[in-house]
Each structure stands twice: as structure tokens, then as C-alpha cells.
Amino acid sequence: MIKKTVPNVESALKGVADGMTFMLGGFGLCGIPENAIAELVKLGINDITCISNNAGVDDFGLGLLLQKHQIKKMISSYVGENDEFERQMLSGELEVELTPQGTLAEKCRAAQAGFPAFYTPAGYGTEVAEGKETREFDGKMHVLEPAFKADFSFVKAWKGDEAGNLIFKGTARNFNPCMCGAAKITVAEVEELLPAGSLDPNEIHIPGIFVQRIFKGYDYEKRIEQRTVRKK
Amino acid sequence: MLDKNGIAKRIAKEVKDGYYVNLGIGIPTLVANFVRDDISVEFQSENGVLGMGPFPFEGEEDADVINAGKQTITTLPGASFFDSAMSFGMIRGKHVDLTILGAMEVAENGDIANWKIPGKMVKGMGGAMDLVASAENIIVAMMHTNKAGISKLLTKCTLPLTGVGCVKKIVTNLAVMEVTGEGFKLLERAPGVSVETIIRATEGKLIVEGEIPEMDL
């Protein structure tokens, strides 16, 4: 067994530096690597490029890095209700590459799986396709999209073991599995870190080969953006 | 004239037994409330769940189980979770039968714009560009005019496009229309709304043939 455990978030983020490109899992605030984000804020590194579906909210998730102007460029599909993200984008302080969500996920997966690029119909005929190679397949137009290149992937899983195997929970899975092994170094933070052999190999979502460092995260806030309920 | 729930109620009639359906944020989300309970339908949310159920009971919310609108949800028997690449594989691979989404503008050739107002507002396209580029059955749910009273059904979209020539049907507070290639073909009127009112509220070409029935809600 090849051991991937590191003692804490500090050792997990060893090697991050100004100007790097990071992938960060999560959809809204669901399944975001809370510990890694907090550490990036603490380290104060700047000019970073973040590949993440959203940019958190004003005061949580990637919003914390935006507040401190540590992010040079965001590659996302949705700005949504993050006012600071929208403000920095419209004022030109922040470079933003808006990418269709399915294309964003596949650009991660392509990097993981060793495809240099792929064709997708998404965005054809829109400004997303401007300057990109297009090609017709079966009478339909497609856009060529390159795989992402990143220095670190920061993902959050529910359970993991010493070998780096991961299991995700609910919709907190989202982009996390697609980003594993899609950067030079993948850092996984987990709620439960177990000895090798504790997880059933049949139930592993991401094999440890895609993960370089794994640590047990702590103090998960798991903030809910839209608490919707019905009466009993 | 219909309110948002009325629009959702009319669209719910388009949902057929055995359909996998993707609902966008806003009015489309309401459609789930009006689908007949004697048919089998599964709702897909692009953040990675198939078989979405109603909102959880108070105190049973799970931060790890949300829909694409970031609302807490539940799952029904037979539900599954999956990652974002697989989710869009379902969409791009045409496994989802019906897509219902909102729009800022629709053009008479089926073009749709719903993600950006240059210089003013950028929400991002989220999954909308993937959905409209691949789905074969797309219904737009929206108000017929914007807050300023200007028609959202146009000869040509003025805002940056989300997709080209993809919308098949539109349900608004005033009417049901089909996109035909020659223009918006008026199929039904909302209760109490005259054909003249719909003509006045439609900037693009509206095709009116024969008697236009009132919606049966």
C-alpha cells in the first residue's frame, strides 16, 4: 500500500505559490474544500487562477480569497448571487473566463484522463466559441475545448483511507471526482480518514492513484445557501 | 393572464410518463409541484442528482444534498448521485427527455439568451449552454414581457446568446407558442387573454391561424 496521508493542512499545501493555477471542487458551498481555502487565505499567496464552478458567497468559500484580492483569474460557470465576484468582474479587477458547466467538468475530466481536448456542442454560435476551432459531426456544429492544466487540485470527500481512496456524499460529490488527478498534485481533505482496508473496494468513487496527499479536515461549517423546508 | 404558478401548471402538462426532466432555476422549479401523481417522472439536477424529491421537513436539511439552485432537497426511492462530468454526460448524451428553463429573450428562430446583460449583469451560463445545445425537447418558461413592458419574444435576440435555434416551445403568462422556423406559432391563449393582447406583446413574428383555444389548466 502506498501511503498518501499527511498530518495536516499545512503539509498538504506545501509547494503552493504565487501565480499558480488551482482546481477547487464544490458546487456553490456544497462540497468545497473548506480547510484548503482557509489555508490559502492564511498563506496570503497572490495572483492565483482558480478553476471552480462558483466563487463561493461574499463571506465564505472562494469569496474569502476574492475579498483579499488574492485571485487574478476565475474560471467558472456561474457568478450567481456573489456580489463581490460580479463587482470585481464588471470593474475589470478580476479576469473571468465563464465556461459552460458541462464543458468545465469535462475539461477537468479530460485532464484527469489524458485527453488534450474534446469537441462539444455547448456554446456553439455564442461568445464562448469565439476564436475556437469548430467542426461538424453528424450535421451538428461542435466547439474544440482544451483540457485544463493546473498545479494543484483541492478536493473535499466524505470518507478516505490512507491509500488516498475516496468516497463522496450526496451532491457534495459534484466536481470533486473530476478534479482528482487533473492537476500535478491532488490534495484531498476528508471528514473521516480511515486505515487502509476499512473501505470496501467496491464502493470507492475515486481510487487513490489520483490523489497525492490526503488529510483529515476539521471544523466543517457546511454552510447552506438556500435553506428550503416544508412543514411536517 | 397567468402568474408564475400558472405558467408552471401549464408546462407540467407537457411532462409525460417515463420522462427524465431537467428543471432550471426560477419558474421551471415550480413545475415539479404540478406534475400528475399517476405518472412516473424523475427530476435531474445538474449538480449531480437524479430522482429529486420535495424540500426536506424542518430540521432534516442536509447541507450535502442540494439542487442546482443551492436549495436543500430530498431524494426519492430510486434516486442516485453522480459527479458533474457524468451529469452533463446525461445531458449531452441526450438521455434527459425534457429541459425546462427560463430566458431573458427568445428569437423567432429559436435562439435563446439568458446569462448576461453586457456591462450591467452577469449571472453566468451555468449549465444552460450545455442543456440548450444538446436537449431535443426544450420548453422556455418566462413572462411575455420584461419589467419595462418590452417584449421578450423577438425577431432577433439583442443580448449575448446562450444557444442558437434550439427552443421548441414557449409558455408565458399570456400564451403557449411553438417555434416553427417561420415564426412563433400561437397555440393557446392564457385564460381571459385576447389574441390582440398577445400580438401587441410579441415583437417577433407571431403566426395566428384559425381559432386560438384558451389553455386548459
Side-chain angles (χ1 to χ4, degrees):
Chain A
M1 195 259 298
I2 303 170
K3 226 175 160 175
K4 303 290 173 67
T5 46
V6 292
N8 49 37
V9 67
E10 288 84 3
S11 39
L13 266 69
K14 212 173 155 203
V16 298
D18 289 353
M20 281 187 167
T21 298
F22 302 143
M23 288 182 173
L24 298 107
F27 184 96
L29 299 178
C30 183
I32 57 172
E34 292 186 20
N35 284 208
I37 293 169
E39 185 63 15
L40 288 170
V41 173
K42 201 169 125 196
L43 289 169
I45 56 162
N46 290 306
D47 295 322
I48 55 183
T49 296
C50 290
I51 299 165
S52 174
N53 189 54
N54 315 79
V57 293
D58 286 336
D59 61 346
F60 200 58
L62 285 182
L64 298 170
L65 286 165
L66 280 174
Q67 264 182 17
K68 301 213 160 171
H69 294 87
Q70 289 174 261
I71 302 176
K72 181 185 72 175
K73 181 179 179 182
M74 278 300 310
I75 301 175
S76 302
S77 87
Y78 199 68
V79 179
E81 289 71 38
N82 188 327
D83 296 336
E84 179 63 12
F85 187 175
E86 193 170 6
R87 191 196 64 74
Q88 288 191 19
M89 174 170 45
L90 291 171
S91 70
E93 287 163 56
L94 178 72
E95 226 181 295
V96 178
E97 190 177 307
L98 284 168
T99 304
Q101 197 176 137
T103 301
L104 189 80
E106 201 60 23
K107 283 170 76 115
C108 297
R109 207 193 72 85
Q112 175 193 65
F115 293 109
F118 58 91
Y119 281 102
T120 176
Y124 178 76
T126 75
E127 61 184 61
V128 163
E130 277 169 24
K132 290 177 185 162
E133 203 178 312
T134 57
R135 187 169 162 184
E136 189 182 318
F137 294 95
D138 296 327
K140 185 168 176 158
M141 291 307 292
H142 293 73
V143 184
L144 185 66
E145 292 282 359
F148 282 130
K149 286 188 170 67
D151 297 292
F152 278 84
S153 274
F154 298 112
V155 304
K156 155 79 196 322
W158 179 31
K159 294 176 184 174
D161 68 13
E162 292 168 294
N165 295 309
L166 303 176
I167 294 177
F168 303 88
K169 183 177 162 237
T171 54
R173 190 181 317 191
N174 58 61
F175 285 82
N176 286 297
C178 315
M179 291 176 172
C180 290
K184 288 177 197 154
I185 295 173
T186 297
V187 175
E189 54 183 85
V190 295
E191 288 175 57
E192 277 181 62
L193 183 58
L194 301 158
S198 311
L199 298 174
D200 181 348
N202 286 302
E203 293 179 356
I204 303 288
H205 292 143
I206 282 291
I209 192 168
F210 293 120
V211 175
Q212 279 66 49
R213 303 173 190 171
I214 187 167
F215 70 99
K216 189 190 175 312
Y218 51 89
D219 290 345
Y220 282 105
E221 200 174 315
K222 290 199 183 182
R223 216 186 270 189
I224 292 173
E225 277 181 74
Q226 307 284 339
R227 187 179 298 273
T228 44
V229 294
R230 65 192 151 128
K231 291 260 183 250
K232 267 190 187 164
Chain B
M1 195 187 295
L2 302 175
D3 61 5
K4 287 178 178 181
N5 278 305
I7 296 172
K9 200 171 173 188
R10 174 59 191 82
I11 292 177
K13 295 181 66 163
E14 306 286 324
V15 179
K16 304 281 188 290
D17 190 34
Y19 268 18
Y20 291 103
V21 183
N22 179 288
L23 301 177
I25 298 165
I27 302 173
T29 306
L30 301 171
V31 172
N33 301 335
F34 300 103
V35 174
R36 280 162 46 192
D37 50 17
D38 61 335
I39 61 173
S40 301
V41 173
E42 281 195 28
F43 292 105
Q44 196 254 19
S45 195
E46 65 255 29
N47 59 316
V49 54
L50 193 60
M52 251 193 302
F55 294 147
F57 288 119
E58 247 176 303
E60 292 176 11
E61 315 90 278
D62 182 347
D64 290 331
V65 183
I66 63 167
N67 64 16
K70 286 103 177 175
Q71 296 171 311
T72 45
I73 54 153
T74 57
T75 54
L76 295 172
S80 55
F81 295 117
F82 34 84
D83 68 60
S84 302
M86 185 177 283
S87 179
F88 281 91
M90 285 175 199
I91 291 163
R92 204 182 300 107
K94 303 185 196 300
H95 306 285
V96 175
D97 301 289
L98 175 62
T99 290
I100 302 165
L101 76 174
M104 295 173 186
E105 294 178 347
V106 177
E108 61 190 38
N109 68 342
D111 288 358
I112 177 172
N114 70 355
W115 68 287
K116 183 181 184 180
I117 302 172
K120 270 194 198 158
M121 189 282 293
V122 186
K123 287 187 97 59
M125 66 290 284
M129 282 193 183
D130 309 87
L131 282 159
V132 300
S134 295
E136 310 217 294
N137 195 1
I138 299 172
I139 301 179
V140 164
M142 65 177 191
M143 302 311 263
H144 211 100
T145 55
N146 66 17
K147 280 173 190 150
I150 297 164
S151 182
K152 294 168 74 170
L153 293 121
L154 309 172
T155 311
K156 200 170 180 297
C157 290
T158 63
L159 297 170
L161 295 181
T162 307
V164 291
C166 49
V167 176
K168 301 283 182 291
K169 203 173 237 186
I170 306 149
V171 180
T172 72
N173 53 328
L174 303 181
V176 180
M177 289 145 295
E178 193 187 334
V179 176
T180 60
E182 270 104 57
F184 301 111
K185 187 172 183 212
L186 184 59
L187 300 180
E188 297 171 26
R189 301 173 287 117
V193 173
S194 68
V195 170
E196 289 65 40
T197 302
I198 300 165
I199 292 172
R200 272 200 307 276
T202 309
E203 190 266 341
K205 188 178 174 195
L206 187 74
I207 302 163
V208 185
E209 283 173 3
E211 232 7 66
I212 305 299
E214 203 169 271
M215 289 178 202
D216 175 18
L217 293 164

